[in-house]
PDB file of all heavy atoms in Angstrom:
ATOM      1  N   SER A 232       1.019  11.968  -5.151  1.00 98.00           N
ATOM      2  CA  SER A 232       1.203  10.497  -4.987  1.00 98.00           C
ATOM      3  C   SER A 232      -0.232   9.858  -4.818  1.00 98.00           C
ATOM      4  O   SER A 232      -0.453   8.836  -5.376  1.00 98.00           O
ATOM      5  CB  SER A 232       2.035  10.307  -3.841  1.00 98.00           C
ATOM      6  OG  SER A 232       2.033   8.831  -3.492  1.00 98.00           O
ATOM      7  N   ALA A 233      -1.027  10.565  -4.119  1.00 98.00           N
ATOM      8  CA  ALA A 233      -2.369   9.997  -3.838  1.00 98.00           C
ATOM      9  C   ALA A 233      -3.288  10.037  -5.040  1.00 98.00           C
ATOM     10  O   ALA A 233      -3.896   8.912  -5.381  1.00 98.00           O
ATOM     11  CB  ALA A 233      -3.051  10.757  -2.680  1.00 98.00           C
ATOM     12  N   ILE A 234      -3.367  11.006  -5.794  1.00 97.00           N
ATOM     13  CA  ILE A 234      -4.183  10.984  -6.917  1.00 97.00           C
ATOM     14  C   ILE A 234      -3.430  10.281  -8.041  1.00 97.00           C
ATOM     15  O   ILE A 234      -2.312  10.483  -8.231  1.00 97.00           O
ATOM     16  CB  ILE A 234      -4.677  12.409  -7.372  1.00 97.00           C
ATOM     17  CG1 ILE A 234      -3.571  13.329  -7.766  1.00 97.00           C
ATOM     18  CG2 ILE A 234      -5.542  12.988  -6.251  1.00 97.00           C
ATOM     19  CD1 ILE A 234      -4.092  14.616  -8.406  1.00 97.00           C
ATOM     20  N   GLY A 235      -4.202   9.427  -8.675  1.00 95.00           N
ATOM     21  CA  GLY A 235      -3.595   8.677  -9.786  1.00 95.00           C
ATOM     22  C   GLY A 235      -4.673   7.928 -10.446  1.00 95.00           C
ATOM     23  O   GLY A 235      -5.801   8.352 -10.464  1.00 95.00           O
ATOM     24  N   LEU A 236      -4.266   6.779 -11.054  1.00 91.00           N
ATOM     25  CA  LEU A 236      -5.189   5.960 -11.865  1.00 91.00           C
ATOM     26  C   LEU A 236      -6.372   5.500 -11.006  1.00 91.00           C
ATOM     27  O   LEU A 236      -7.492   5.452 -11.439  1.00 91.00           O
ATOM     28  CB  LEU A 236      -4.548   4.864 -12.466  1.00 91.00           C
ATOM     29  CG  LEU A 236      -3.311   5.230 -13.286  1.00 91.00           C
ATOM     30  CD1 LEU A 236      -2.399   4.122 -13.539  1.00 91.00           C
ATOM     31  CD2 LEU A 236      -3.848   5.875 -14.646  1.00 91.00           C
ATOM     32  N   GLY A 237      -6.079   5.393  -9.701  1.00 91.00           N
ATOM     33  CA  GLY A 237      -7.117   4.924  -8.812  1.00 91.00           C
ATOM     34  C   GLY A 237      -8.392   5.898  -8.683  1.00 91.00           C
ATOM     35  O   GLY A 237      -9.527   5.484  -8.572  1.00 91.00           O
ATOM     36  N   ASN A 238      -8.088   7.242  -8.923  1.00 95.00           N
ATOM     37  CA  ASN A 238      -9.112   8.208  -8.904  1.00 95.00           C
ATOM     38  C   ASN A 238      -9.953   8.165 -10.096  1.00 95.00           C
ATOM     39  O   ASN A 238     -11.132   8.522 -10.150  1.00 95.00           O
ATOM     40  CB  ASN A 238      -8.570   9.628  -8.657  1.00 95.00           C
ATOM     41  CG  ASN A 238      -7.734   9.637  -7.367  1.00 95.00           C
ATOM     42  OD1 ASN A 238      -6.754   8.954  -7.257  1.00 95.00           O
ATOM     43  ND2 ASN A 238      -8.104  10.487  -6.453  1.00 95.00           N
ATOM     44  N   ILE A 309       5.417  -2.127  -7.068  1.00 94.00           N
ATOM     45  CA  ILE A 309       4.370  -1.430  -7.754  1.00 94.00           C
ATOM     46  C   ILE A 309       4.916  -0.535  -8.855  1.00 94.00           C
ATOM     47  O   ILE A 309       4.360  -0.424  -9.848  1.00 94.00           O
ATOM     48  CB  ILE A 309       3.580  -0.728  -6.618  1.00 94.00           C
ATOM     49  CG1 ILE A 309       2.765  -1.609  -5.819  1.00 94.00           C
ATOM     50  CG2 ILE A 309       2.536   0.308  -7.365  1.00 94.00           C
ATOM     51  CD1 ILE A 309       1.767  -1.192  -4.922  1.00 94.00           C
ATOM     52  N   TYR A 313       3.613   0.163 -12.598  1.00 94.00           N
ATOM     53  CA  TYR A 313       3.064   1.499 -12.661  1.00 94.00           C
ATOM     54  C   TYR A 313       3.607   2.150 -13.979  1.00 94.00           C
ATOM     55  O   TYR A 313       2.964   2.793 -14.733  1.00 94.00           O
ATOM     56  CB  TYR A 313       3.290   2.412 -11.429  1.00 94.00           C
ATOM     57  CG  TYR A 313       2.096   3.234 -11.127  1.00 94.00           C
ATOM     58  CD1 TYR A 313       1.000   2.658 -10.368  1.00 94.00           C
ATOM     59  CD2 TYR A 313       1.953   4.560 -11.400  1.00 94.00           C
ATOM     60  CE1 TYR A 313      -0.101   3.412 -10.019  1.00 94.00           C
ATOM     61  CE2 TYR A 313       0.918   5.324 -11.072  1.00 94.00           C
ATOM     62  CZ  TYR A 313      -0.150   4.766 -10.300  1.00 94.00           C
ATOM     63  OH  TYR A 313      -1.204   5.476  -9.942  1.00 94.00           O
ATOM     64  N   GLN A 519     -10.473   0.943  -1.082  1.00 92.00           N
ATOM     65  CA  GLN A 519     -10.261   2.071  -1.928  1.00 92.00           C
ATOM     66  C   GLN A 519      -9.615   3.227  -1.251  1.00 92.00           C
ATOM     67  O   GLN A 519      -8.636   3.894  -1.906  1.00 92.00           O
ATOM     68  CB  GLN A 519     -11.600   2.451  -2.545  1.00 92.00           C
ATOM     69  CG  GLN A 519     -11.570   3.673  -3.440  1.00 92.00           C
ATOM     70  CD  GLN A 519     -10.697   3.562  -4.630  1.00 92.00           C
ATOM     71  OE1 GLN A 519     -10.499   2.449  -5.206  1.00 92.00           O
ATOM     72  NE2 GLN A 519     -10.270   4.668  -5.275  1.00 92.00           N
ATOM     73  N   PHE A 521      -7.336   3.093   1.286  1.00 93.00           N
ATOM     74  CA  PHE A 521      -5.997   2.857   1.439  1.00 93.00           C
ATOM     75  C   PHE A 521      -5.253   2.997   0.170  1.00 93.00           C
ATOM     76  O   PHE A 521      -4.199   3.537   0.017  1.00 93.00           O
ATOM     77  CB  PHE A 521      -5.799   1.390   1.959  1.00 93.00           C
ATOM     78  CG  PHE A 521      -6.182   1.323   3.405  1.00 93.00           C
ATOM     79  CD1 PHE A 521      -6.365   0.002   4.054  1.00 93.00           C
ATOM     80  CD2 PHE A 521      -6.295   2.418   4.236  1.00 93.00           C
ATOM     81  CE1 PHE A 521      -6.702  -0.087   5.299  1.00 93.00           C
ATOM     82  CE2 PHE A 521      -6.658   2.330   5.598  1.00 93.00           C
ATOM     83  CZ  PHE A 521      -6.893   1.083   6.082  1.00 93.00           C
ATOM     84  N   PHE A 522      -5.786   2.400  -0.874  1.00 90.00           N
ATOM     85  CA  PHE A 522      -5.074   2.290  -2.184  1.00 90.00           C
ATOM     86  C   PHE A 522      -4.959   3.725  -2.698  1.00 90.00           C
ATOM     87  O   PHE A 522      -3.889   4.133  -3.189  1.00 90.00           O
ATOM     88  CB  PHE A 522      -5.887   1.498  -3.179  1.00 90.00           C
ATOM     89  CG  PHE A 522      -5.422   1.482  -4.561  1.00 90.00           C
ATOM     90  CD1 PHE A 522      -4.226   0.840  -4.837  1.00 90.00           C
ATOM     91  CD2 PHE A 522      -6.035   2.231  -5.506  1.00 90.00           C
ATOM     92  CE1 PHE A 522      -3.709   0.732  -6.143  1.00 90.00           C
ATOM     93  CE2 PHE A 522      -5.494   2.311  -6.779  1.00 90.00           C
ATOM     94  CZ  PHE A 522      -4.360   1.597  -7.109  1.00 90.00           C
ATOM     95  N   SER A 523      -6.050   4.454  -2.521  1.00 95.00           N
ATOM     96  CA  SER A 523      -6.048   5.836  -3.158  1.00 95.00           C
ATOM     97  C   SER A 523      -5.053   6.759  -2.403  1.00 95.00           C
ATOM     98  O   SER A 523      -4.518   7.626  -3.010  1.00 95.00           O
ATOM     99  CB  SER A 523      -7.475   6.410  -3.169  1.00 95.00           C
ATOM    100  OG  SER A 523      -7.540   7.567  -4.016  1.00 95.00           O
ATOM    101  N   LEU A 524      -4.989   6.637  -1.142  1.00 97.00           N
ATOM    102  CA  LEU A 524      -4.099   7.578  -0.305  1.00 97.00           C
ATOM    103  C   LEU A 524      -2.670   7.124  -0.440  1.00 97.00           C
ATOM    104  O   LEU A 524      -1.809   7.769   0.193  1.00 97.00           O
ATOM    105  CB  LEU A 524      -4.520   7.593   1.065  1.00 97.00           C
ATOM    106  CG  LEU A 524      -5.841   8.430   1.279  1.00 97.00           C
ATOM    107  CD1 LEU A 524      -6.135   8.536   2.876  1.00 97.00           C
ATOM    108  CD2 LEU A 524      -5.806   9.865   0.718  1.00 97.00           C
ATOM    109  N   SER A 525      -2.337   6.073  -1.010  1.00 95.00           N
ATOM    110  CA  SER A 525      -0.920   5.565  -1.125  1.00 95.00           C
ATOM    111  C   SER A 525      -0.443   5.315   0.268  1.00 95.00           C
ATOM    112  O   SER A 525       0.779   5.556   0.517  1.00 95.00           O
ATOM    113  CB  SER A 525       0.037   6.527  -1.864  1.00 95.00           C
ATOM    114  OG  SER A 525      -0.508   6.970  -3.058  1.00 95.00           O
ATOM    115  N   PHE A 528       2.800   1.906   1.593  1.00 93.00           N
ATOM    116  CA  PHE A 528       3.792   1.681   0.535  1.00 93.00           C
ATOM    117  C   PHE A 528       5.186   2.316   0.917  1.00 93.00           C
ATOM    118  O   PHE A 528       5.978   2.510   0.037  1.00 93.00           O
ATOM    119  CB  PHE A 528       3.336   2.126  -0.805  1.00 93.00           C
ATOM    120  CG  PHE A 528       2.011   1.562  -1.175  1.00 93.00           C
ATOM    121  CD1 PHE A 528       0.839   2.178  -1.067  1.00 93.00           C
ATOM    122  CD2 PHE A 528       2.103   0.291  -1.772  1.00 93.00           C
ATOM    123  CE1 PHE A 528      -0.244   1.708  -1.594  1.00 93.00           C
ATOM    124  CE2 PHE A 528       0.837  -0.232  -2.275  1.00 93.00           C
ATOM    125  CZ  PHE A 528      -0.350   0.391  -2.139  1.00 93.00           C
ATOM    126  N   ILE A 530       5.753   5.278   1.238  1.00 97.00           N
ATOM    127  CA  ILE A 530       5.823   6.633   0.576  1.00 97.00           C
ATOM    128  C   ILE A 530       5.780   7.732   1.667  1.00 97.00           C
ATOM    129  O   ILE A 530       6.558   8.584   1.660  1.00 97.00           O
ATOM    130  CB  ILE A 530       4.799   6.777  -0.441  1.00 97.00           C
ATOM    131  CG1 ILE A 530       4.994   5.760  -1.669  1.00 97.00           C
ATOM    132  CG2 ILE A 530       4.928   8.191  -1.123  1.00 97.00           C
ATOM    133  CD1 ILE A 530       3.836   5.771  -2.534  1.00 97.00           C
ATOM    134  N   ASP A 555      -7.746  14.393  -2.263  1.00 98.00           N
ATOM    135  CA  ASP A 555      -7.728  13.049  -2.977  1.00 98.00           C
ATOM    136  C   ASP A 555      -9.225  12.637  -3.239  1.00 98.00           C
ATOM    137  O   ASP A 555      -9.590  12.254  -4.321  1.00 98.00           O
ATOM    138  CB  ASP A 555      -6.974  12.027  -2.275  1.00 98.00           C
ATOM    139  CG  ASP A 555      -6.945  10.750  -2.980  1.00 98.00           C
ATOM    140  OD1 ASP A 555      -6.494  10.719  -4.130  1.00 98.00           O
ATOM    141  OD2 ASP A 555      -7.446   9.736  -2.378  1.00 98.00           O
ATOM    142  N   SER A 624       2.601   9.629  -8.835  1.00 97.00           N
ATOM    143  CA  SER A 624       2.507   8.417  -7.983  1.00 97.00           C
ATOM    144  C   SER A 624       3.737   7.603  -8.208  1.00 97.00           C
ATOM    145  O   SER A 624       4.327   7.005  -7.209  1.00 97.00           O
ATOM    146  CB  SER A 624       1.280   7.602  -8.403  1.00 97.00           C
ATOM    147  OG  SER A 624       0.146   8.331  -8.234  1.00 97.00           O
ATOM    148  N   ALA A 625       4.156   7.466  -9.489  1.00 98.00           N
ATOM    149  CA  ALA A 625       5.353   6.616  -9.820  1.00 98.00           C
ATOM    150  C   ALA A 625       6.627   7.100  -9.081  1.00 98.00           C
ATOM    151  O   ALA A 625       7.322   6.429  -8.501  1.00 98.00           O
ATOM    152  CB  ALA A 625       5.512   6.595 -11.363  1.00 98.00           C
ATOM    153  N   SER A 627       6.844   9.019  -6.554  1.00 98.00           N
ATOM    154  CA  SER A 627       6.755   8.914  -5.099  1.00 98.00           C
ATOM    155  C   SER A 627       7.235   7.486  -4.644  1.00 98.00           C
ATOM    156  O   SER A 627       7.905   7.347  -3.596  1.00 98.00           O
ATOM    157  CB  SER A 627       5.364   9.234  -4.617  1.00 98.00           C
ATOM    158  OG  SER A 627       4.461   8.195  -4.948  1.00 98.00           O
ATOM    159  N   LEU A 628       6.908   6.559  -5.430  1.00 97.00           N
ATOM    160  CA  LEU A 628       7.246   5.170  -5.099  1.00 97.00           C
ATOM    161  C   LEU A 628       8.797   5.069  -5.296  1.00 97.00           C
ATOM    162  O   LEU A 628       9.502   4.440  -4.333  1.00 97.00           O
ATOM    163  CB  LEU A 628       6.649   4.194  -6.100  1.00 97.00           C
ATOM    164  CG  LEU A 628       5.075   4.019  -5.847  1.00 97.00           C
ATOM    165  CD1 LEU A 628       4.480   3.318  -7.192  1.00 97.00           C
ATOM    166  CD2 LEU A 628       4.831   3.090  -4.731  1.00 97.00           C
ATOM    167  N   ASN A 679      -1.488  -5.111  -3.692  1.00 83.00           N
ATOM    168  CA  ASN A 679      -2.552  -4.358  -3.064  1.00 83.00           C
ATOM    169  C   ASN A 679      -3.428  -5.062  -2.089  1.00 83.00           C
ATOM    170  O   ASN A 679      -3.942  -4.475  -1.050  1.00 83.00           O
ATOM    171  CB  ASN A 679      -3.449  -3.643  -4.110  1.00 83.00           C
ATOM    172  CG  ASN A 679      -2.788  -2.580  -4.830  1.00 83.00           C
ATOM    173  OD1 ASN A 679      -2.277  -1.630  -4.276  1.00 83.00           O
ATOM    174  ND2 ASN A 679      -2.541  -2.762  -6.188  1.00 83.00           N
ATOM    175  N   TYR A 746      -6.572  -3.212 -10.967  1.00 45.00           N
ATOM    176  CA  TYR A 746      -6.431  -2.884 -12.265  1.00 45.00           C
ATOM    177  C   TYR A 746      -7.268  -3.821 -13.168  1.00 45.00           C
ATOM    178  O   TYR A 746      -7.007  -3.810 -14.399  1.00 45.00           O
ATOM    179  CB  TYR A 746      -4.883  -2.843 -12.655  1.00 45.00           C
ATOM    180  CG  TYR A 746      -4.300  -1.667 -12.003  1.00 45.00           C
ATOM    181  CD1 TYR A 746      -3.411  -1.869 -10.935  1.00 45.00           C
ATOM    182  CD2 TYR A 746      -4.546  -0.383 -12.482  1.00 45.00           C
ATOM    183  CE1 TYR A 746      -2.923  -0.709 -10.301  1.00 45.00           C
ATOM    184  CE2 TYR A 746      -3.993   0.638 -11.886  1.00 45.00           C
ATOM    185  CZ  TYR A 746      -3.167   0.499 -10.784  1.00 45.00           C
ATOM    186  OH  TYR A 746      -2.654   1.524 -10.151  1.00 45.00           O
TER     187      TYR A 746
HETATM  188  N1  LIG B 968      -2.769   6.322  -4.990  1.00 67.24           N
HETATM  189  C1  LIG B 968      -2.576   5.903  -6.289  1.00 67.24           C
HETATM  190  C2  LIG B 968      -3.931   6.001  -7.163  1.00 67.24           C
HETATM  191  O1  LIG B 968      -4.892   6.399  -6.579  1.00 67.24           O
HETATM  192  C3  LIG B 968      -2.092   4.539  -6.482  1.00 67.24           C
HETATM  193  C4  LIG B 968      -0.854   4.228  -5.842  1.00 67.24           C
HETATM  194  C5  LIG B 968      -0.769   3.250  -4.974  1.00 67.24           C
HETATM  195  C6  LIG B 968       0.244   5.018  -6.127  1.00 67.24           C
HETATM  196  C7  LIG B 968       0.433   3.041  -4.367  1.00 67.24           C
HETATM  197  C8  LIG B 968       1.465   4.781  -5.546  1.00 67.24           C
HETATM  198  C9  LIG B 968       1.525   3.886  -4.624  1.00 67.24           C
HETATM  199  O2  LIG B 968      -3.884   5.747  -8.251  1.00 67.24           O
END
Side-chain angles (χ1 to χ4, degrees):
S232 173
I234 64 172
L236 302 164
N238 300 60
I309 293 190
Y313 220 80
Q519 175 63 22
F521 287 164
F522 175 74
S523 191
L524 288 183
S525 312
F528 302 100
I530 298 172
D555 180 60
S624 299
S627 69
L628 289 160
N679 288 301
Y746 290 106

